[in-house]
Amino acid sequence: QQQVKQSPQSLIVQKGGISIINCAYENTAFDYFPWYQQFPGKGPALLIAIRPDVSEKKEGRFTISFNKSAKQFSLHIMDSQPGDSATYFCAASGGRTGGFKTIFGAGTRLFVKA
Amino acid sequence: EAQVTQNPRYLITVTGKKLTVTCSQNMNHEYMSWYRQDPGLGLRQIYYSMNVEVTDKGDVPEGYKVSRKEKRNFPLILESPSPNQTSLYFCASRGDRRNQETQYFGPGTRLLVL
């Protein structure tokens, strides 16, 4: 089964707080796990991505935590800002064994209160 | 400027009237893909192409056709549109099929089928 389950559907966080979005996958052939950020009226844009050979990747205020044994990964946004208000999608894709497909989660609408 | 362009951006049509949504990228990318975005379902892959004349089905290919005659263009064809194809469509491209670092998305095409 090639599903990616994302939670929560929506999230409200105070400015300066930590936003956490979780994803779980099923297909062990996936070898690339990106997070995309989408603002209204725009296409998704790559935010940060990780491969399963590392457990954590940090870029500025954004961190991905990856648990290969549990087949779960999460996005942490530190010091959340109103400008971070957007829809976030996790995704998983596989190379040759995964068929070159990309499977997206259902998305999380984040609202950061000023 | 590196970009993926789609046309038209908005389209209203009637059931059964064939339509084509064009997609073009200027980054010499091998891999191109079409997605549809629906509320609560995230992005679902329709078709993808790993190179000229090489296309394959994604997760929701029914009712759609694609072609890849040139590297830069990847049109999406709806031979006989139906109301359940009302959606927001995104074209995307990325470089070497083994390098999944960044998938660039177009601005989206909002389609309404009456």
Side-chain angles (χ1 to χ4, degrees):
Chain A
Q1 183 72 333
Q2 297 207 70
Q3 276 191 333
V4 176
K5 296 182 179 177
Q6 182 172 347
S7 62
Q9 270 189 312
S10 61
L11 183 60
I12 300 174
V13 174
Q14 291 284 350
K15 179 182 175 182
I18 302 173
S19 304
I20 302 174
I21 305 171
N22 300 299
C23 283
Y25 65 98
E26 298 173 355
N27 188 342
T28 54
F30 291 140
D31 60 4
Y32 180 70
F33 301 88
W35 285 89
Y36 287 86
Q37 180 187 55
Q38 184 182 30
F39 293 105
K42 303 289 186 183
L46 180 69
L47 186 63
I48 186 172
I50 197 168
R51 295 194 183 277
D53 52 345
V54 296
S55 60
E56 186 175 282
K57 183 174 181 180
K58 183 175 181 180
E59 290 183 0
R61 296 184 294 110
F62 302 93
T63 300
I64 300 179
S65 297
F66 188 85
N67 186 330
K68 188 174 181 178
S69 60
K71 292 189 283 186
Q72 295 175 346
F73 58 111
S74 60
L75 175 69
H76 295 234
I77 306 174
M78 312 300 286
D79 186 27
S80 299
Q81 300 296 312
D84 296 330
S85 297
T87 299
Y88 292 81
F89 294 98
C90 63
S93 60
R96 190 168 299 279
T97 56
F100 297 101
K101 293 182 180 179
T102 301
I103 309 296
F104 282 80
T108 296
R109 295 187 71 172
L110 171 65
F111 180 69
V112 181
K113 294 169 66 173
Chain B
E1 180 191 355
Q3 60 181 355
V4 178
T5 56
Q6 297 178 226
N7 283 293
R9 294 289 314 279
Y10 303 91
L11 181 59
I12 301 174
T13 190
V14 295
T15 298
K17 186 176 182 182
K18 181 180 178 180
L19 66 91
T20 300
V21 183
T22 64
C23 173
S24 183
Q25 50 94 4
N26 63 0
M27 296 168 278
N28 200 36
H29 283 168
E30 288 185 345
Y31 184 100
M32 298 186 73
S33 187
W34 275 103
Y35 297 88
R36 60 177 289 174
Q37 183 176 2
D38 301 290
L41 297 177
L43 291 98
R44 293 179 293 168
Q45 196 167 31
I46 303 171
Y47 269 95
Y48 62 95
S49 168
M50 292 183 287
N51 214 326
V52 175
E53 302 291 2
V54 181
T55 62
D56 206 349
K57 296 177 181 178
D59 287 325
V60 288
E62 293 78 20
Y64 304 94
K65 285 176 58 177
V66 293
S67 69
R68 187 89 182 275
K69 292 182 168 50
E70 305 166 283
K71 198 170 187 178
R72 64 182 291 126
N73 296 323
F74 189 44
L76 179 70
I77 303 154
L78 284 71
E79 293 270 1
S80 182
S82 62
N84 65 12
Q85 293 178 297
T86 292
S87 187
L88 178 59
Y89 291 87
F90 288 102
C91 179
S93 75
R94 69 169 193 244
D96 187 313
R97 60 178 180 265
R98 292 179 184 81
N99 175 9
Q100 301 170 54
E101 294 303 317
T102 302
Q103 191 162 195
Y104 295 88
F105 282 82
T109 295
R110 190 168 291 278
L111 172 65
L112 173 61
V113 183
L114 300 173

